[in-house]
Amino acid sequence: MENSDIILSMTDVNKSFPGVKALTDASIEVRKGTVHAVVGENGAGKSTLMKILSGVHTKDSGTIIFDGETIEHTTPIQSIRRGLSIIYQEFNLVNTLTVGENIFLGRFREMKGLRNSHKKARELLDSIGSTINTHSLVGDLSAAEKQMIEITKALAFDSKLIIMDEPSSSLTADELKQLFVIIDDLRKKGVTMIYISHKLDEIFQLCDTVTVMRDGIIVDTKPIDELTRNDMIAMMIGREIENEWPERPRCAGEVILEVQNLRTKKLKNISFTLKKGEILGFVGLVGAGRTEIVKAIYGADRVKNLKEKDLKQTEHGESNKTKMPDNDIVNTKKAKKLKSGKRMLINGKLVKTRNPRQGIHAGIGLLPEDRKLEGLVLQFSVKENIVMSSLNKISKFGFLDASREKDIADKQIKALSIKTPSPNTKTVTLSGGNQQKCIMGRWLEINPDILILDEPTRGIDVGTKYEIYLLIKKIAENGGSVIMISSELPEVLAMSNRVLTICDGEITGEFDPEVASAHEIMDAAIGGGEND
């Protein structure tokens, strides 16, 4: 291989943080005009390596050569001007500014004013096939559109190498296809990309070469066609695994939860049951109403509770168009007069959950879709985040029992193998998988009857995924009930005892995942059919 083919060479790069060796003699070469994957478990060193490359962190030792230039010390701005851009999982955009202003932020003088900035932004967006209006506010755009703006920002600096960190984490299937088309087009134009993702299907579909990292060490770099899925997983976690999912639990018992007539502006007459020891999967496209259902159940979204007299108003209404088995779905009628409401029974008793406190009191826990925004206080310690739902157990007269707080945190850190230097470490410094485990530990400590998991493995490596699957299975086997939402259909089908499909705020089908095909389930999830 000629050296002229190599756009990036990193040799024997080392990096340590207090108490942690993040990188050990890491070496990687990236060919021009290719899509080069970097994969590994959370904490493997992927982000550290990329942050050193982009100037966020400074290497302790090693050699970096980019486009023929040896780089000793750099900053993010210097890296961008060299033609090296990084697109983070959390977008680096200003929501209150327009698309054009974001693309050329800080460069208006260079562009000779806003008018020319918008004109050039339009040309760049056209070059990747985007029709986004440059005068639209970024805050009004979808996740996929924001992704396009980030790519366009990189192109505005004539980037030769673009690093994409988990670019598909919040995209729908159609939006992902659009992203793949853009990446393939950029590759054909000679732009090089480093693609970081935990979704191995994407790696095999998109990338030319794969570098696998584990514990701060680069295990190997190989062409994608020389690896199987199991090979890659074994390299990532350091051991062979026979299956990506544990055996499905089979311990569903009597009905524990009945939801009747759940209606909001988004939801239309949602009614279903959940059994003790059951894992119930929710399948639907992003925006179908999955998250709205579970937030309403938990009390995070306030919905008027229906009384018996309210239910009588539905008796002469239009029948629910979705036909479900009587023993599993509570068949009710659409209300003509009431615009919102819900009636919920746990163990046969009517319960009200107008807020999360009432939800917890009713025996419900929720691991939210966005762990950073809704699930954790990132600047709080690991200990503080774990005990957050147990404060009534470890405080008296407003005073916290520090000893019991530490005991609870230590117990869950050990039980869940949370990788943290200390219980007092700020949660923001942990990997995504360990942050997720902190929320799991919070709920395992209070042991709710019903645990709702909304995208429990999003942005989490394959090894940690398996650990979370085992936790979910254990919860069910110990008599707990789980509602699981996931955008990864194989995950739902492998873990669930029963699957409900949701489309446009309605339940459109109920399936046995051991019998129904993935095609049948997705057809119902996109509104293409009914489960008669």
Side-chain angles (χ1 to χ4, degrees), residues 42 153 176 260 492:
N42 291 109
K153 279 174 59 181
L176 182 60
Q260 303 173 0
V492 181

Side-chain angles (χ1 to χ4, degrees), residues 106-389:
R107 302 174 63 191
F108 300 142
R109 180 176 296 179
E110 179 185 336
M111 298 307 299
K112 298 180 180 179
L114 276 176
R115 178 176 294 181
N116 281 337
S117 296
H118 281 283
K119 181 181 177 182
K120 182 62 177 175
R122 178 73 272 147
E123 293 173 2
L124 290 169
L125 287 165
D126 288 342
S127 74
I128 62 171
S130 174
T131 59
I132 300 170
N133 190 325
T134 65
H135 294 279
S136 297
L137 286 178
V138 166
D140 295 333
L141 302 182
S142 68
E145 290 171 325
K146 290 179 180 179
Q147 191 77 258
M148 301 308 136
I149 305 308
E150 287 282 19
I151 293 172
T152 308
K153 279 174 59 181
L155 296 177
F157 281 96
D158 296 321
S159 295
K160 302 167 188 175
L161 173 63
I162 301 175
I163 303 165
M164 297 184 178
D165 189 358
E166 295 287 351
S168 65
S169 60
S170 57
L171 303 186
T172 65
D174 287 340
E175 290 169 342
L176 182 60
K177 287 178 184 177
Q178 183 185 1
L179 176 64
F180 278 16
V181 169
I182 291 170
I183 290 174
D184 193 50
D185 186 53
L186 291 174
R187 171 168 42 193
K188 290 174 182 175
K189 292 176 180 177
V191 178
T192 308
M193 279 154 285
I194 293 178
Y195 194 90
I196 300 173
S197 178
H198 292 304
K199 298 181 180 179
L200 301 190
D201 290 340
E202 295 177 13
I203 301 299
F204 281 97
Q205 184 178 345
L206 183 67
C207 300
D208 304 295
T209 308
V210 180
T211 292
V212 181
M213 299 188 69
R214 185 175 72 244
D215 297 330
I217 298 170
I218 290 181
V219 178
D220 205 350
T221 297
K222 287 189 175 183
I224 191 68
D225 55 11
E226 292 183 11
L227 284 171
T228 66
R229 186 182 180 93
N230 284 345
D231 290 337
M232 195 182 298
I233 292 172
M235 292 165 67
M236 287 167 61
I237 66 177
R239 67 182 188 277
E240 298 285 345
I241 63 168
E242 295 181 4
N243 297 298
E244 288 188 53
W245 298 279
E247 185 179 350
R248 190 193 321 269
R250 303 176 188 280
C251 42
E254 69 277 9
V255 170
I256 185 173
L257 169 69
E258 294 181 49
V259 176
Q260 303 173 0
N261 294 78
L262 174 54
R263 294 185 300 275
T264 66
K265 289 182 179 179
K266 176 76 175 181
L267 305 176
K268 306 163 189 174
N269 198 46
I270 298 294
S271 298
F272 67 91
T273 63
L274 173 69
K275 298 175 182 177
K276 187 177 178 65
E278 180 183 36
I279 300 175
L280 177 63
F282 281 6
V283 172
L285 301 179
V286 174
R290 305 169 305 173
T291 295
E292 287 81 359
I293 292 172
V294 296
K295 280 189 171 182
I297 294 169
Y298 177 64
D301 283 355
R302 187 168 181 178
V303 180
K304 180 180 178 181
N305 286 302
L306 293 178
K307 300 176 182 179
E308 294 295 336
K309 65 177 182 179
D310 297 327
L311 289 174
K312 291 179 181 179
Q313 296 182 38
T314 70
E315 290 179 357
H316 302 292
E318 179 187 354
S319 63
N320 190 344
K321 73 172 185 178
T322 304
K323 297 178 182 178
M324 303 290 179
D326 290 338
N327 61 333
D328 280 339
I329 297 294
V330 182
N331 289 302
T332 56
K333 308 291 183 178
K334 288 185 178 179
K336 286 184 173 180
K337 296 181 179 179
L338 297 173
K339 294 181 179 179
S340 67
K342 73 177 177 193
R343 185 174 186 268
M344 197 165 77
L345 295 90
I346 295 179
N347 290 319
K349 296 181 180 179
L350 191 66
V351 296
K352 297 179 180 180
T353 54
R354 291 194 178 95
N355 54 57
R357 182 187 294 274
Q358 290 182 338
I360 294 171
H361 183 72
I364 304 172
L366 170 65
L367 188 152
E369 179 181 15
D370 190 331
R371 61 175 171 263
K372 292 185 177 181
L373 184 65
E374 298 177 316
L376 298 163
V377 182
L378 292 174
Q379 293 303 319
F380 279 18
S381 69
V382 171
K383 175 178 63 180
E384 289 168 327
N385 273 285
I386 288 175
V387 304
M388 199 168 286
S389 294

